[in-house]
Amino acid sequence: MTTKQDKSPELKKGEIKQILIQTASEVLPDFEFLTYKNSCYSFQRLRQVNNLTVHEILHIIFTLKDKNFACSIASRLNPEYIFSNQYNIGHLNPHKDLKALRHNSGALNIEDAYYFHNGQVETTTKTVKEIFSDFKKYGLPFLDKQAERLKSNSIVKIGFDYIEDLKTDKQKLKTEITEELNKGGLLLSSIKHQIYVDLKENLQAVSGQSKEDRQIIPKTAHELLELYWTR
């Protein structure tokens, strides 16, 4: 793909932006171009779930030099995470690689991990169409599944109720938990704050959990408190 030539012109610097916006408007008109930041083009759709605004994002990192695209999809309940490039398997702000969704695999070889182009308009446009087609086929169900999780997952429901009833100084809570986290090398197990521990125990007490649910409870508790002090 990267060496195969076509009869179209070479891509000019910045030209990819219009190709992406045009294709998005044709394939996924409800996703609007959000911004270009750190070599990444982001498209967003807002969704209301239980009176909460969910930011549904498609991130597309494009390189002319390496002739590839790296794409990911995210559902962000906390707007602070919108431009985070870290993948996330949590309940509130999941972020996954689009190719990993397509192949249903976490570990991919380099040929499968990227979308490739040859630096020319015609082939690059075809690749962009493939990206948005994959986004429609694999990304939209991921976002729908996440919206359903926010509505009906028992752990999430208990967590929302907890932070809804919480009456403590937001800035003080943020400072105390962040200090513990930084001292402990960013390990969630280093957080001993009573509110965090209490919330985590409340979530662990929810019956009928899957093994995966149990494993991400510490992360879920932390992200719920982040949501509390961010609102």
Side-chain angles (χ1 to χ4, degrees):
M1 176 66 81
T2 58
T3 56
K4 185 180 177 184
Q5 297 296 296
D6 60 51
K7 293 177 182 176
S8 66
E10 295 279 327
L11 267 178
K12 296 188 185 78
K13 191 176 180 185
E15 196 173 1
I16 189 62
K17 179 181 177 181
Q18 201 48 50
I19 295 172
L20 290 168
I21 290 172
Q22 179 63 36
T23 309
S25 71
E26 291 167 6
V27 183
L28 294 162
D30 49 345
F31 280 80
E32 295 184 350
F33 177 65
L34 180 63
T35 192
Y36 172 74
K37 190 175 182 179
N38 301 330
S39 304
C40 181
Y41 297 87
S42 298
F43 292 80
Q44 174 179 259
R45 178 177 72 182
L46 299 178
R47 185 194 294 229
Q48 294 300 124
V49 179
N50 295 350
N51 299 319
L52 297 163
T53 300
V54 182
H55 301 260
E56 298 179 330
I57 314 282
L58 172 62
H59 295 296
I60 301 172
I61 295 173
F62 168 78
T63 68
L64 201 51
K65 179 172 168 260
D66 296 329
K67 295 184 176 177
N68 66 43
F69 295 87
C71 305
S72 63
I73 182 165
S75 174
R76 306 302 203 181
L77 199 53
N78 188 339
E80 300 275 319
Y81 277 92
I82 286 175
F83 299 111
S84 170
N85 58 8
Q86 290 186 329
Y87 290 122
N88 185 330
I89 57 164
H91 282 311
L92 305 186
N93 303 288
H95 180 201
K96 288 201 77 167
D97 181 81
L98 185 57
K99 276 294 191 92
L101 280 173
R102 173 174 159 173
H103 292 279
N104 195 25
S105 170
L108 297 172
N109 59 45
I110 195 142
E111 291 87 356
D112 293 330
Y114 296 94
Y115 293 88
F116 294 96
H117 64 86
N118 64 355
Q120 291 173 271
V121 172
E122 185 183 317
T123 301
T124 306
T125 302
K126 281 181 184 173
T127 303
V128 169
K129 285 181 176 173
E130 181 191 355
I131 289 168
F132 279 94
S133 173
D134 279 357
F135 181 57
K136 196 170 184 178
K137 188 172 181 181
Y138 304 101
L140 294 186
F142 169 81
L143 295 174
D144 290 342
K145 186 178 175 185
Q146 173 58 16
E148 191 52 45
R149 174 195 267 174
L150 293 176
K151 287 178 193 170
S152 58
N153 182 280
S154 300
I155 294 171
V156 174
K157 277 183 173 179
I158 294 288
F160 283 162
D161 289 345
Y162 187 96
I163 62 171
E164 199 64 44
D165 294 337
L166 194 57
K167 301 286 186 288
T168 190
D169 184 279
K170 293 180 177 184
Q171 190 54 49
K172 185 168 180 278
L173 181 67
K174 177 182 179 179
T175 301
E176 290 171 351
I177 287 183
T178 304
E179 280 178 2
E180 286 190 10
L181 204 50
N182 288 338
K183 281 180 188 171
L186 301 181
L187 293 172
L188 291 171
S189 57
S190 67
I191 305 175
K192 308 299 180 191
H193 196 287
Q194 186 52 48
I195 290 175
Y196 171 78
V197 172
D198 186 50
L199 172 55
K200 190 170 68 170
E201 287 174 353
N202 270 269
L203 301 183
Q204 286 167 337
V206 177
S207 61
Q209 298 175 44
S210 67
K211 184 183 175 185
E212 290 76 16
D213 277 345
R214 294 195 71 81
Q215 286 173 338
I216 59 174
I217 277 177
K219 182 179 191 64
T220 304
H222 182 248
E223 289 193 349
L224 280 161
L225 293 180
E226 282 183 320
L227 194 61
Y228 172 75
W229 69 56
T230 300
R231 281 150 103 183

